[in-house]
Amino acid sequence: MEPPQTVTIPMAMHIGKPAKPIVKVGDLVKVGTKIGEADGHVSANVYSSVSGKVIKLAEHLLHNDTTTTAVVIESDGAMDVAEHLAPPVVNNRQDFIAAIKESGIVGLGGAGFPTHVKLDVDPERIDYLIINSAECEPYITSDTVTMMTRSADMAYALQTFARCLGVDKVIIGIENNKKEAIAAMKTMAASIAECSVEVKVLPSIYPQGGEKVLVYHTTGRKIEANQLPIHVGCVVINCTTVAAIGAYLKTGMPLVEKCVTVDGGAVKHPQNVIAPIGTSLDALFACCGGLVEQPAKLIYGGPMMGVTVPNADAPVIKNTNAALALTSKEAKLPKMTACIRCGACTNTCPFGLAPAAIAGAYDKKATEMLRSLSVETCMECGCCSFVCPANRPLVQTNKLAKQFLKEEKKKEESDT
Amino acid sequence: MSSLTKLTVSPHIHSGRSTKGIMRDVLISLLPVTVAGVVIFGMRALLVVAVCLLCSVGFEALFNLITKKEQTVGDLSAAVTGLLLALNLPANIPLWQCAIGAMFAIIVVKCLFGGIGQNLVNPAVTARVFMLVAFSSMTVSAFPVDAVTGATPLAAETMPSLLTLLLGNYGGTIGETCTLALLIGGIYLLLRRVITWQLPVAFIGTVFVFSLLMENLDFLRALSLVLSGGVFIGAIFMATDYVTSPPTAWGKVLFGLGAGLITCLIRYFGNYSEGVSFAILFMNILTPYICQWTRHKVFVTGGNK
């Protein structure tokens, strides 16, 4: 896309502490100039995505209802690249982790967890590196496009994983409806000699890309509630994250742009757009022919787990994989009615939970009951709410119940 | 600043399935057997259907109106109850008794317990049992137009032929005799994924195996016993009611086994010649326990750390 006139780059585009802004109003920046310094271990660097002038450091309301500082940069339209950028020297594990930390790369599948933190584990514990290429949410195809166009970057990253972390088994989990991406991944897998790379074609069933679901379907290993993939010897990384790592290792260009699926009934020409981070949704939609009608909902991510944003001023951030503008017809949800105990929720739950029973227990605030129903296992995929013929807020209640149990646990701990 | 849009929690889309849609499918699936019942038992059967339907819907509307609750007749569940009740009554039943049966099903069994989803037992089944006990007209069977006169075949010495049992031109309630039409409706419900096969198969299978053992392995006689006395309408349409049966596959199997067993125990050792309604009612009451025993195994536990 054309360089946007301004970009708004929040300092918190990841899980963890926001970065500290290191530029001031009036500073000149280029593509790849560091504008935010990671604050502590669980944090990430932030870079300018355009060349131009810093015009504002503003309070910015994030979609999770917290505020952070955002650096607003007026683009000069030139997209000049910062001169100092050079491929990092990576000879061992420490170099590799440090390089990823420097690159500002976070989990691009949607979670935004700083990648260097995820990889900073004892390499002996890693049996499998699993590349999450499932991309199971409706509408989204940005990962698919990345796999089709950036397999060389991915290959370079995987070779480095093998060299520096001693990863010997890589599994690429991908849904069977992405034929071209599967072909690209198979070609890439064959080209890698440093480790075994298996392309595992999985059924296109949401939520195939849920971390626990993917680990189970690729390795047969089960991750307990409140545990991470590394507890069962797996590291799961999204394919676009892998491509970003490869690109950084090759060129030294940090994470400054993102492939975003722009879709939804209100968008005139839905397509994937490679957008500088900080581009407003407005500019993104304009690049897709504009909006054909006033959208009823704007969503970061997919329609099953994505979050709504209040208006189209919201910027593309690091982990934005899709921007959906749903029409009122698409966004219309049926009226909630009484539960008819049909069991659709429990029969559709990938983890075999009983959402209707959980909702009942939550209404009574029955702590022990909620624990025995294993609500903490819930990955919030939303299938229960999607299938409920009475349109009950089931996954929504699960989220509340999880939060409630966390608070109860805290209370219990402070009591003892 | 561009105009504001709505903020909600995910998911932002819905499958489109609704209670009303499910109930509409059940009504459609009951159409063949309703038509068959009218053909077999005459226009009087249609009258019974009409009265039960109107009364069921009417009583629910009235109850909601008087108690100032949200009107729920639009979800079509009252219509399903009315139709199912009618299909479980003989065509010659006095119409005032139909009205009382419908009132019992809707007001006593359903609305007083909190309306749709809250009833402990199946309204149509319970109303039928109530009517069996209350009205003598229920025990003598219909006046079939061109079929065997008298009581349901279970009480009779000789059974109708298998073809007769399939087509339904013999004595019984309006909707229980034409097995063919019931099967068509059942297949429709399976294809529409309104019901699953486990409960009906377990129910019907249990009745068949039990009968086979009791009838000295007389295959034909056991088959005749399965095809008569309301086993099919009970197993496919009444026992599969969401509200009063377990949601999981194993729960459904357990429900079907129990219902089949109780049906046969009543048939062979009880005072009533027909046991399907009692069996379903009994299993309805056990359902909360079956639900607890047969919850899905959770993918991973260990949420208490």
Side-chain angles (χ1 to χ4, degrees), chain B residues 225-295:
Chain B
L225 286 166
V226 170
L227 291 174
S228 54
V231 174
F232 271 72
I233 191 171
I236 298 172
F237 297 97
M238 320 275 283
T240 52
D241 168 32
Y242 289 149
V243 179
T244 55
S245 68
T248 61
W250 281 112
K252 290 178 204 291
V253 169
L254 216 57
F255 187 110
L257 283 173
L261 198 68
I262 296 167
T263 299
C264 292
L265 289 175
I266 292 172
R267 279 184 173 185
Y268 283 102
F269 307 111
N271 279 334
Y272 286 90
S273 61
E274 195 276 332
V276 172
S277 299
F278 289 99
I280 295 173
L281 182 56
F282 192 82
M283 294 311 290
N284 284 166
I285 295 166
L286 279 184
T287 291
Y289 298 96
I290 300 177
C291 287
Q292 278 189 13
W293 302 329
T294 57
R295 268 211 188 103

Side-chain angles (χ1 to χ4, degrees), chain B residues 17-298:
Chain B
R17 261 172 91 86
S18 66
T19 303
K20 186 179 174 173
I22 291 166
M23 295 300 163
R24 193 192 300 125
D25 271 337
V26 176
L27 288 176
I28 292 170
S29 72
L30 287 170
L31 218 57
V33 73
T34 308
V35 171
V38 173
V39 169
I40 295 163
F41 298 105
M43 291 315 280
R44 183 65 217 264
L46 191 61
L47 204 58
V48 172
V49 169
V51 170
C52 284
L53 261 174
L54 283 177
C55 288
S56 291
V57 176
F59 282 126
E60 183 161 313
L62 206 62
F63 183 90
N64 288 332
L65 214 62
I66 291 170
T67 58
K68 297 192 174 64
K69 284 183 190 303
E70 199 186 339
Q71 195 50 267
T72 49
V73 291
D75 66 26
L76 300 179
S77 66
V80 168
T81 297
L83 185 54
L84 274 175
L85 178 65
L87 295 175
N88 275 287
L89 301 176
N92 60 346
I93 189 166
L95 296 179
W96 64 270
Q97 292 183 357
C98 295
I100 288 185
M103 187 180 78
F104 188 84
I106 295 295
I107 304 287
V108 179
V109 183
K110 187 181 176 190
C111 290
L112 287 181
F113 280 83
I116 184 168
Q118 298 298 315
N119 45 301
L120 297 174
V121 288
N122 183 305
V125 168
T126 315
R128 190 197 179 189
V129 168
F130 160 74
M131 291 168 82
L132 268 172
V133 178
F135 305 131
S136 58
S137 58
M138 290 289 291
T139 47
V140 294
S141 197
F143 55 95
V145 181
D146 52 354
V148 190
T149 323
T152 51
L154 289 173
E157 292 282 308
T158 52
M159 299 287 289
S161 74
L162 284 181
L163 185 69
T164 308
L165 288 170
L166 272 179
L167 296 178
N169 49 337
Y170 62 96
T173 67
I174 296 168
E176 74 179 9
T177 66
C178 185
T179 310
L180 198 63
L182 290 168
L183 275 175
I184 293 170
I187 289 166
Y188 176 78
L189 288 183
L190 281 174
L191 291 177
R192 297 285 297 168
R193 298 196 189 178
V194 172
I195 62 168
T196 52
W197 58 271
Q198 288 93 347
L199 202 162
V201 169
F203 194 157
I204 295 166
T206 305
V207 173
F208 179 73
V209 171
F210 199 103
S211 305
L212 200 62
L213 294 176
M214 291 301 286
E215 302 293 335
N216 300 319
L217 303 181
D218 182 341
F219 186 81
L220 276 181
R221 174 132 178 103
L223 200 60
S224 306
L225 286 166
V226 170
L227 291 174
S228 54
V231 174
F232 271 72
I233 191 171
I236 298 172
F237 297 97
M238 320 275 283
T240 52
D241 168 32
Y242 289 149
V243 179
T244 55
S245 68
T248 61
W250 281 112
K252 290 178 204 291
V253 169
L254 216 57
F255 187 110
L257 283 173
L261 198 68
I262 296 167
T263 299
C264 292
L265 289 175
I266 292 172
R267 279 184 173 185
Y268 283 102
F269 307 111
N271 279 334
Y272 286 90
S273 61
E274 195 276 332
V276 172
S277 299
F278 289 99
I280 295 173
L281 182 56
F282 192 82
M283 294 311 290
N284 284 166
I285 295 166
L286 279 184
T287 291
Y289 298 96
I290 300 177
C291 287
Q292 278 189 13
W293 302 329
T294 57
R295 268 211 188 103
H296 285 302
K297 193 169 171 289
V298 174

